[in-house]
């Protein structure tokens, strides 16, 4: 008989990056890398657990931009070509390293891995949404939604219509995709402000996730801290992130991904190989890039990339099993301690970016696999649950008002509003005001309807929190700036043409083909609430 719950929550999100107007854009590879290294490996884990009779439970957000890209025929075709290149390069590496035993072993390992990825990709007819949805239909996976384009809610709260559009469009997109309404939402960046729960309730959502201090500083103070959800006065539940379990995975000092046996992310064949040899597999302009084949392990702290030793998947898998056992052991002790204090079953909510598992931490999917197996076969202290099942079985909770919060630096909004990105917000606010104005229109023909809907799409895409985040991190900044400006420029052009009654039909058609997210959007979502 278990005395507590563990809820693993993965946030699967990428910004909407799709460029049919160009033959090659490096940033599209964010999606291709995540498919190869995270999404398909997770599906392989889920398939293995089902095959072996493990009744696993996990919650996973799949954001509208990610869902849209995974369902897009152009990006599916481009991923096909990307994977074919990986397969070809791995076979070449086997030949090139015929006389180096360890490198040949690794090249053969990658060739087998890419072949298995290909098998899963083709098994589901390139449709990974269908693949994940089968586990939702068996109640192993609870798929939740997010903001329509991952907009940062607290920085648009002065325009309630903008927040409502992010929520409502996301829920409608989810229902169009999965054939049912979402029960929960991952607030973008776990960013909560007081009052947003009313909109969540109006959209039919049952619960949301926030950072731990959003619960700890709620009013009145929750009796059980983050180890039970709270009900807001609207009836929508709030789950808070558990600091202890998060730190064991996330921390750069004590987190599992830093183990010396694990694969080194920053050492890649695209930079190591002779230029003429690797040239066909890097960027069309000849610039080197990561190609996804990595031969080295972390080895030890403080070592330069040139001092890394060769990787061995066998020992890395052993380490993943060890770490999963340690994680499960720590959760058992944590649950026992909490149950003794609370005299009721605690829930430990452990949320992470999905792309951590496989992309950044190559062995992450193995860790998840071992964790579920150890939780199922080796202990009875806690049971794995997803959040919808937990709420169904635990319908009495304390009522409280969460505190404003996010899971960013210092726990509030500084990462998305600082000297690197503050310039975008006056422009976003102006566009929002204009969209609210446009929402009053009643178009006289199909062209008018299409132009208003496209204006709504462009504003949503400009609002993505990813652009401000990238500007702050200092990587790929020109791309984030370009995307913010291009969506705003397209929006304002549409605004002026709609106001003048002279929409450029040819130009609109081109923009619709490029920014084709939310095919069923209705611009009226921006009308006053």
């Amino acid at each position: 008989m278990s005395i507590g719950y563990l809820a693993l929550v993965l946030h699967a999100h990428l910004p909407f990056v799709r460029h049919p107007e160009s033959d090659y854009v490096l940033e599209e590879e964010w999606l291709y890398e995540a498919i190869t290294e995270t999404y398909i490996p997770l599906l392989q884990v889920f398939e293995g657990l089902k095959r072996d009779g493990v009744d696993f439970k996990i919650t996973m957000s799949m954001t509208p931009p990610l869902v849209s890209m995974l369902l897009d025929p152009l990006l599916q075709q481009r991923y096909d070509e990307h994977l074919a290149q990986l397969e070809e390069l791995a076979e070449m590496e086997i030949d090139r390293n015929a006389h180096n035993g360890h490198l040949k072993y690794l090249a053969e390992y990658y060739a087998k891995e890419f072949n298995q990825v290909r098998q899963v990709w083709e098994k589901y007819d390139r449709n990974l949404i269908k693949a994940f949805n089968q586990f939702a239909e068996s109640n192993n996976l609870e798929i939740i939604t997010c903001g329509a384009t991952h907009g940062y809610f607290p920085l648009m709260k002065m325009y309630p219509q903008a927040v409502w559009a992010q929520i409502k469009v996301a829920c409608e997109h989810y229902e169009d995709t999965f054939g049912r309404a979402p029960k929960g939402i991952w607030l973008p960046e776990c960013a909560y402000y007081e009052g947003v729960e009313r909109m969540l309730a109006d959209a039919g959502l049952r619960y949301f996730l926030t950072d731990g201090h959003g619960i700890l500083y709620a009013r009145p103070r929750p009796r059980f801290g983050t180890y039970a959800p709270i009900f807001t006065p609207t009836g929508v539940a709030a789950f808070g992130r558990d600091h202890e379990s998060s730190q064991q995975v996330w921390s750069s000092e004590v987190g599992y991904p830093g183990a010396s046996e694990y694969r080194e992310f920053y050492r890649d064949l695209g930079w190591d190989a002779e230029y003429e040899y690797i040239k066909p597999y890097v960027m069309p302009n000849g610039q080197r890039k990561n190609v996804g084949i990595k031969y080295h392990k972390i080895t030890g702290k403080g070592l330069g990339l040139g001092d890394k030793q060769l990787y061995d998947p066998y020992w890395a898998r052993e380490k993943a099993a060890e770490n999963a056992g340690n994680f499960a052991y720590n959760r058992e002790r944590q649950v026992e301690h909490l149950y003794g204090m609370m005299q009721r079953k605690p829930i430990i909510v452990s949320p992470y970016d999905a792309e951590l598992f496989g992309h950044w931490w190559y062995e992450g999917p193995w860790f998840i696999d071992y964790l579920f197996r150890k939780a199922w076969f080796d202990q009875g202290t806690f049971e794995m649950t997803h959040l919808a099942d937990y709420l169904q079985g635990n319908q009495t909770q304390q009522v409280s008002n969460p505190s404003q919060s996010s899971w960013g630096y210092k726990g509030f909004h500084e990462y998305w509003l600082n000297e690197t990105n503050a310039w975008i917000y006056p422009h976003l606010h102006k566009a929002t005001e204009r969209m609210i104005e446009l929402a009053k229109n009643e178009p006289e023909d199909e062209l008018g309807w299409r132009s208003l809907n496209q204006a709504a799409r462009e504003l949503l895409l400009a609002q993505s929190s990813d652009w401000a985040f990238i500007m702050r991190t200092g990587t790929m900044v020109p791309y984030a700036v370009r995307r913010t400006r291009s969506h705003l420029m397209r929006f304002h052009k549409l605004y002026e043409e709609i106001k003048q009654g002279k929409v450029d039909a040819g130009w609109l058609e081109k923009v619709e083909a490029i920014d084709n997210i939310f095919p069923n959007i209705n611009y009226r979502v921006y009308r006053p609430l």
Side-chain angles (χ1 to χ4, degrees), residues 416-432:
W416 294 270
L417 179 60
N418 54 69
E419 69 280 1
T420 68
N421 52 35
W423 65 269
I424 69 176
Y425 292 102
H427 299 288
L428 292 175
H429 296 336
K430 181 64 176 178
T432 302

Side-chain angles (χ1 to χ4, degrees), residues 226-486:
T226 60
Y227 301 112
I230 57 175
F231 285 155
T232 65
T234 66
V236 178
F239 287 91
R241 177 168 67 144
D242 170 55
H243 174 75
E244 183 178 329
S245 61
S246 294
Q247 185 185 43
Q248 287 183 319
V249 175
W250 274 122
S251 171
S252 60
E253 298 298 321
V254 300
Y256 299 129
S260 60
E261 294 89 344
Y262 288 150
R263 191 176 81 164
E264 173 59 62
F265 176 83
Y266 294 102
R267 183 87 183 264
D268 187 277
L269 182 66
W271 302 90
D272 282 353
E274 290 289 335
Y275 181 72
E276 290 303 319
Y277 171 80
I278 203 68
K279 186 177 179 181
Y281 303 97
V282 296
M283 288 190 252
N285 65 3
Q287 186 176 338
R288 289 181 183 263
K289 68 177 181 68
N290 286 357
V291 296
I293 293 178
K294 304 174 194 291
Y295 288 143
H296 295 83
K297 61 181 180 179
I298 291 172
T299 307
K301 292 184 178 180
L303 291 177
L305 287 180
D307 299 320
K308 304 292 184 177
Q309 296 174 6
L310 290 175
Y311 176 65
D312 191 328
Y314 175 85
W315 292 112
R317 187 180 280 274
E318 290 292 302
K319 190 65 177 181
E322 176 190 318
N323 288 158
N326 177 260
F327 187 86
Y329 174 84
N330 287 331
R331 300 293 74 72
E332 288 184 77
R333 303 292 82 78
Q334 189 179 11
V335 163
E336 289 169 350
H337 174 70
L338 292 168
Y339 183 76
M341 288 196 307
M342 295 168 59
Q343 293 303 299
R344 60 170 277 176
K345 291 184 176 183
I347 180 170
I348 298 169
V349 179
S350 302
Y352 310 99
D353 276 337
E355 291 75 25
L356 169 67
F357 296 89
H359 177 60
W360 297 105
W361 178 20
Y362 176 72
E363 298 78 9
W366 300 344
F367 172 88
I368 290 176
D369 189 23
Y370 286 124
L371 174 60
F372 275 117
R373 293 175 186 275
K374 290 174 184 294
W376 181 257
F377 291 114
D378 297 350
Q379 61 84 45
T381 305
F382 63 85
E383 60 182 286
M384 303 291 287
T385 186
H386 55 56
L387 300 182
D389 265 13
Y390 174 85
L391 284 179
Q392 185 68 28
N394 298 269
Q395 298 184 15
T396 302
Q397 304 292 346
Q398 182 176 348
V399 177
S400 189
N401 293 284
S403 171
Q404 190 164 177
S405 54
S406 85
W407 74 344
Y409 179 62
K410 297 184 181 178
F412 292 100
H413 315 312
E414 179 178 329
Y415 212 86
W416 294 270
L417 179 60
N418 54 69
E419 69 280 1
T420 68
N421 52 35
W423 65 269
I424 69 176
Y425 292 102
H427 299 288
L428 292 175
H429 296 336
K430 181 64 176 178
T432 302
E433 292 170 0
R434 285 185 155 191
M435 188 65 235
I436 294 169
E437 176 191 344
L438 288 179
K440 300 172 186 175
N441 285 23
E442 286 296 341
E444 297 179 357
D445 54 24
E446 183 193 3
L447 184 63
W449 178 265
R450 285 167 49 205
S451 62
L452 287 162
N453 285 340
Q454 192 61 35
R457 289 187 191 98
E458 298 300 337
L459 175 57
L460 287 170
L461 288 167
Q463 289 172 332
S464 168
S465 69
D466 301 280
W467 313 138
F469 183 88
I470 291 170
M471 292 174 202
R472 176 63 180 82
T473 61
T475 59
M476 316 298 277
V477 171
Y479 181 77
V481 170
R482 187 165 69 251
R483 284 295 300 276
T484 303
R485 287 176 172 167
S486 65

Side-chain angles (χ1 to χ4, degrees), residues 39-244:
Y39 308 140
I40 285 180
L42 284 174
L43 286 169
Q44 291 171 313
V45 168
F46 296 167
E47 288 176 343
L49 293 170
K50 287 288 282 185
R51 180 191 63 236
D52 296 339
V54 178
D55 188 23
F56 68 96
K57 302 283 185 182
I58 187 170
T59 306
M60 192 168 169
S61 70
M62 299 193 76
T63 68
L66 175 61
V67 169
S68 299
M69 291 189 293
L70 288 174
L71 291 173
D72 186 81
L74 173 70
L75 294 177
Q76 290 171 344
Q77 177 60 37
R78 289 183 172 180
Y79 176 70
D80 248 344
E81 297 163 1
H82 173 86
L83 182 56
Q85 273 208 319
L86 280 178
E87 293 171 308
E88 179 181 284
L89 180 56
E91 293 297 333
M92 288 180 56
E93 282 294 286
I94 294 173
D95 293 338
R96 187 173 76 98
N97 294 297
H99 303 295
N100 185 321
H102 198 142
L103 288 178
K104 183 172 182 285
Y105 155 65
L106 287 171
E108 290 172 340
Y109 168 81
Y110 280 116
K112 181 180 178 182
E113 178 181 86
F114 299 147
N115 179 256
Q116 291 172 339
V117 167
R118 168 73 65 187
Q119 290 177 29
V120 174
W121 178 245
E122 294 181 352
K123 172 183 176 181
Y124 293 107
D125 301 319
R126 305 175 171 182
N127 188 337
L128 298 189
I129 299 304
K130 178 175 70 174
F132 280 109
N133 196 37
Q134 69 179 349
F135 296 106
E137 290 173 346
S138 65
N139 201 39
N140 296 108
L141 172 64
E142 168 71 5
I143 301 176
I144 62 177
T145 191
C146 189
T149 55
H150 218 262
Y152 197 85
F153 291 177
L155 296 180
M156 58 177 74
K157 69 178 182 178
M158 65 287 295
Y159 302 104
Q161 295 96 322
V163 180
W164 174 247
Q166 284 276 343
I167 296 168
K168 184 65 173 173
V169 170
C171 290
E172 290 174 347
H173 185 265
Y174 182 104
E175 195 159 357
D176 289 343
T177 302
F178 298 106
R180 59 186 178 273
K183 295 175 184 175
I185 184 170
W186 179 292
L187 293 182
E189 317 295 3
C190 288
Y192 168 84
Y193 72 89
E194 191 168 343
V196 73
E197 64 273 16
R198 168 50 58 194
M199 295 189 203
L200 302 181
D202 290 345
L205 291 160
R206 184 72 184 84
Y207 64 87
F208 65 93
L209 285 109
T210 186
D211 203 73
H213 61 288
I215 304 296
L216 293 173
Y217 297 116
R219 306 179 312 277
R221 288 285 179 90
R223 181 180 178 189
F224 302 117
T226 60
Y227 301 112
I230 57 175
F231 285 155
T232 65
T234 66
V236 178
F239 287 91
R241 177 168 67 144
D242 170 55
H243 174 75
E244 183 178 329

